[in-house]
Structure formats: structure tokens, C-alpha cells
Amino acid sequence: MARERDQLPTSHGQASTAASATAAAVAAKEPKETKAQAAARGRAAVAELAGKVAPSAWDVCVPSDVYGSPWQTVEAHPAVFTGLAQRMGIQGIEVVELFSLDASDMQHLEPIHGLVFLFQWTDDDGGVHSKTQAAKPEAIPDNVFFINQVVPNACATQALLSIALNCPDIRVDAELAAFKEFGKDMSPAMRGLALSSSQKLRTAHNSFVRQTDHPTLHYPVPAKPRKRRRRDPDATHAPASASSSSSSSKKRGKQRGRAADDADADTDADADADADTASPQPDRQFHFIGYIPIDGHVWELDGLKRVPRRMGAVPPTEPWTSVVVPALQERMSSDSIEFSLMAVVRDGRLVVDALARSVGEAQTLLAHADRAVCVGDVLGGDDVLARVAEMAAVVAAAGVTITRDTSVGDAVAALDKVALAVQARQNEERDKHAEYETENVRRRFNYAPFVRKWIEILATKGDLPNMLK
């Protein structure tokens, strides 16, 4: 009995060894799984699990890179900002680029709801801003809806939103109106946090970014810790001495190299200057801010500032943009010449369509009137002709002048010319916005696969070497 108990562990160990050998032999016969097969098996498992788990149970669910990407930089272009405003829910406006600060060049754009200015940002809070007085938090009027920027690259959307939510003449959709109502009692920082958490605003913002610029949100899985090998203590001495001698020789070589470099640096100042010139420079940062008149004062709404800046009071006989022009000129005269200025104005299509309706109403009223009487006697208290005369640019383009003292016959002939000019303006506005849509599609499209395939075809046909010469 004692002998059987003594032999039992031995027989059990032999059986275990035999089973391990059999399993190793079976595993050796089976083909080893490749990385691609393992990845495919993992995707299949995730897909199977996704069908069993409700979408709300996931912490992240992104149908595309546009939804899953953080805020990205957008181009300072009227087409981009006009399309961005529409997708955000800002209605009845468009963004146009300004190439001059002269009042005469801005007059034909009136009314200007706000200005969006792009400039190179620095960490210095003084400089060109020192002449404007920063408002204290308690001194900010309640009707100034100011938002702090709490995430990078959101300044384009924030500049548009600041203008739209502070201008009573701009219509916004129900969701943006609810956003303003939701944040009216919040601090500027909390409003910025609410803006950055808005899926609609971030998706609209990122929809104007190129596909190749979308870094999708990534949640890395921690790698398994590697097991350290147990090294044979008898075999560690010889390699260690070789390794130490090798490392010591490398250290001595590096020290000699540094000494030689120091000597060269001491004797060659020009080379040192060239090295400083060739050193990489930090990336330049650009930033969008907004300017808008609120209750008789012009405000600079910069999300990176703690509070907005009151630029000054609106002159009674001049447009509000005259208050902003000196500050913009001072910014533009700085060292950086890279800037852009855009104006938020009423949608040109709406303006011209309203003018077309006014012209049509005037033509209808004058169609059966006596051609010898004056226009004022026929229209009476109607302001149809006054609305037509407000569009001085269109009337001047038609080469006519219409007043209430003009005879009906002359007015009818003049209105026919104005109608043709208005129709031409309508076509121009529609063509412009159609071109905007085309540009935005091309701006978002990824041409890399097409270019790669085209180069492959040229290389296959043997035409690429000749084209590269």
C-alpha cells in the first residue's frame, strides 16, 4: 500500500506529461492563425456582440469620422462660413469677404450684422489690445451672450454663434434658440462647455474638414505586460562584460563627439547661427473672433478672453463698423500679414427676391394707370416705390431714376429695365451659392485614392517616366 501511494504521484506526472505532449502535437499540426485572421475574428465577435447589446449601452457610437472626430480647423472662406451657418441653424444670412475697410465699400453690404476676423494668435494679452478696456464680469450686460472657448479649434463656430445669438435681426432654428435659453444663466465658461458638448454643432463644424484631416477619437487598449525571461545565472557574466565594454566605448565615443561639437561651436559662430536658423519653429496659431453692435456699443467677442471687450459707442451719424476699423487697422499693421476679414450680412438671394417682388407690385399698380400722371398720385400711401428706391445699386445699374414726381409712362419703362437688372442679380446670387456648394463638396472630398490609382495606371503603361522628365 505504501508502495502504491509512493508510485501514484509518479504515474500521475507521467500521464500529465503525456497529455501535454499530445496537445502540443495536435497544436503543431493545426495551421497558425495570422494577424489578419485574428483581426477578422475580433471584428466578427464585436459585430455579433453589437447585435445583442442596445446602442445606448456603448460609451461611444460614431457612424463616421465626421461624428467621431474632435473639433478641427476650418478654412477662412465665405463658402465655408456660409455653409457652416446654414448647418448650424442660422437662417437668412451669408458671409462675404471684405477686401477694404473703406466705408464706401461696406455701404452696399448694409445692414452688416457682424464681422468675423481671423488673425495670428499670440499668448500676449497686451499689445494691440491695451487701448481697449476689458469689462469686468459683473459689468457685462445681461443681453451680451458671451461664450468662452474651452476646446481647441472651435473658434470658427463660436464666432458665428456669438454673432447670431446676440443679433435680434438674425433668425435661428429651435435648437439654437433652446441652446441660448439653456445657457442664459450660465457663466461664459459653462456656456463654452455646453457648446463643445453639442453633437450638432461639432458635426456641422467638422463637415467642412477634409476627410484626411479627421483624427478619429481613439481609445487605446492597454497592452498585456510582457513576461521577463529567466536568465541562466551561469551564462550572464561573459555577455555582461562584453555589453559593458561596448556601452562604455559608445559612451566614450559620444563624449568625444560632444567635445568635438563643442570645439566646433566655439570656433565657428556662423555654423551655430545656421543651426539656430534651421531649428524647427513652433506651429503658428490662428484664431477667429467676432465684432457686433449691442445696445449702442460695439463689442469684441473673443472666446479666448475671460470677458468681452467694449470697443466704444456707436456714432449717431456713422455706421457701427467705423468703431471697429481703427482696431482692425492696428491688428493688420502688426508683424503678421496673414489675416482675413468677413462680414455677416443678409442672404443676397433674399434681398434680391424681395426687390423682385417690390418691382412686380409696382408694375402691377402702374399697368392700368394714366401714363401722364405722376407716380406719387397713383401709388398714394403705398411704399412699394420706396422699397424699390432703397436698392440704389440695382437701380443705378439699370441706369434709371424713379421718384414720386416721375410720370407713370417713364416709370413703367424704367421699371422694365430694373426688372431685367433684378433678374440678372437673382441669377448671379443663385450661381454664387451653387458654386459655394460645389466648392464645399470638393473641399471635403478625399482625392488621394484617385491620384494614387492614376499614378499606378501611368506607371503600368510606362508613361510615368516621360512625364517626370
Side-chain angles (χ1 to χ4, degrees):
M1 212 41 167
R3 182 175 300 178
E4 290 180 359
R5 285 197 299 268
D6 294 341
Q7 292 178 354
L8 182 59
T10 305
S11 61
H12 179 71
Q14 292 174 351
S16 177
T17 303
S20 301
T22 304
V26 173
K29 293 180 180 180
E30 293 180 355
K32 188 176 181 180
E33 187 180 37
T34 63
K35 292 183 179 180
Q37 291 173 342
R41 181 167 53 81
R43 288 192 296 267
V46 171
E48 182 181 0
L49 183 61
K52 300 178 181 179
V53 181
S56 58
W58 299 101
D59 60 338
V60 176
C61 181
V62 289
S64 69
D65 289 346
V66 175
Y67 292 84
S69 175
W71 295 81
Q72 297 301 306
T73 57
V74 297
E75 182 180 353
H77 194 277
V80 174
F81 274 73
T82 300
L84 177 58
Q86 294 174 357
R87 295 204 176 195
M88 289 169 56
I90 305 174
Q91 303 169 355
I93 63 104
E94 68 173 297
V95 181
V96 298
E97 191 167 9
L98 298 178
F99 300 97
S100 173
L101 296 177
D102 294 339
S104 57
D105 295 331
M106 296 185 184
Q107 184 177 4
H108 71 281
L109 297 174
E110 294 290 345
I112 298 178
H113 301 309
L115 296 176
V116 178
F117 185 62
L118 172 71
F119 64 99
Q120 184 174 347
W121 174 260
T122 61
D123 294 332
D124 185 13
D125 289 336
V128 298
H129 310 294
S130 58
K131 295 182 180 180
T132 57
Q133 184 178 3
K136 297 181 179 179
E138 59 273 13
I140 302 176
D142 295 335
N143 56 348
V144 177
F145 194 84
F146 180 65
I147 309 172
N148 282 136
Q149 182 180 341
V150 299
V151 294
N153 302 327
C155 52
T157 294
Q158 190 158 331
L160 276 178
L161 193 63
S162 297
I163 293 174
L165 297 183
N166 284 288
C167 181
D169 297 330
I170 295 181
R171 294 180 291 109
V172 296
D173 64 0
E175 191 167 347
L176 286 185
F179 174 84
K180 183 177 181 180
E181 181 67 21
F182 174 72
K184 66 178 183 179
D185 296 327
M186 293 182 178
S187 65
M190 291 302 297
R191 292 171 184 170
L193 185 61
L195 183 150
S196 63
S197 303
S198 173
Q199 180 75 1
K200 174 186 175 181
L201 295 178
R202 181 165 56 86
T203 302
H205 180 98
N206 288 339
S207 63
F208 292 91
V209 180
R210 291 177 299 181
Q211 296 178 6
T212 53
D213 292 342
H214 280 298
T216 307
L217 293 176
H218 177 58
Y219 295 89
V221 178
K224 294 182 179 180
R226 294 183 178 181
K227 295 183 178 179
R228 294 183 178 181
R229 288 187 187 177
R230 297 187 61 185
R231 301 172 64 181
D232 187 359
D234 297 333
T236 55
H237 302 289
S241 60
S243 175
S244 61
S245 62
S246 175
S247 61
S248 62
S249 63
K250 289 181 179 179
K251 290 180 181 179
R252 286 194 297 270
K254 290 181 179 180
Q255 292 173 356
R256 287 195 298 268
R258 284 196 294 267
D261 292 340
D262 294 339
D264 292 340
D266 293 337
T267 57
D268 194 353
D270 294 337
D272 183 65
D274 293 339
D276 292 339
T277 305
S279 60
Q281 299 294 329
D283 293 338
R284 295 174 299 173
Q285 302 293 330
F286 292 89
H287 182 52
F288 290 102
I289 61 176
Y291 294 95
I292 184 174
I294 303 175
D295 287 349
H297 290 84
V298 181
W299 292 84
E300 177 190 87
L301 304 180
D302 184 351
L304 294 182
K305 300 292 184 182
R306 186 172 58 91
V307 291
R309 291 181 180 274
R310 186 170 55 196
M311 309 300 295
V314 179
T317 59
E318 296 181 8
W320 69 269
T321 52
S322 62
V323 180
V324 184
V325 168
L328 293 177
Q329 289 176 338
E330 195 167 2
R331 283 186 181 273
M332 294 177 180
S333 62
S334 61
D335 295 336
S336 175
I337 61 173
E338 296 178 282
F339 48 80
S340 177
L341 180 63
M342 294 175 287
V344 179
V345 299
R346 191 183 178 194
D347 191 338
R349 294 170 296 184
L350 300 179
V351 174
V352 181
D353 289 345
L355 178 61
R357 288 192 296 270
S358 298
V359 172
E361 292 174 9
Q363 288 177 321
T364 302
L365 292 173
L366 299 178
H368 304 289
D370 186 359
R371 300 301 177 96
V373 299
C374 296
V375 172
D377 297 335
V378 177
L379 297 180
D382 295 333
D383 61 343
V384 176
L385 194 60
R387 295 201 303 269
V388 174
E390 286 178 1
M391 295 299 297
V394 177
V395 176
V400 299
T401 302
I402 305 176
T403 64
R404 290 192 173 274
D405 296 330
T406 305
S407 64
V408 171
D410 294 340
V412 169
L415 285 175
D416 291 339
K417 294 182 180 180
V418 173
L420 293 176
V422 170
Q423 186 177 4
R425 281 281 304 275
Q426 285 179 313
N427 295 334
E428 290 177 2
E429 290 294 332
R430 281 162 176 72
D431 292 344
K432 180 182 71 175
H433 283 269
E435 185 178 356
Y436 280 179
E437 291 291 337
T438 304
E439 289 180 1
N440 288 334
V441 171
R442 292 173 177 171
R443 188 174 282 109
R444 293 189 294 264
F445 188 75
N446 182 15
Y447 287 92
F450 163 74
V451 175
R452 188 183 303 111
K453 189 63 178 178
W454 178 55
I455 294 176
E456 290 177 359
I457 294 174
L458 292 176
T460 303
K461 292 184 176 181
D463 297 335
L464 187 59
N466 296 331
M467 297 183 66
L468 296 177
K469 290 182 179 179

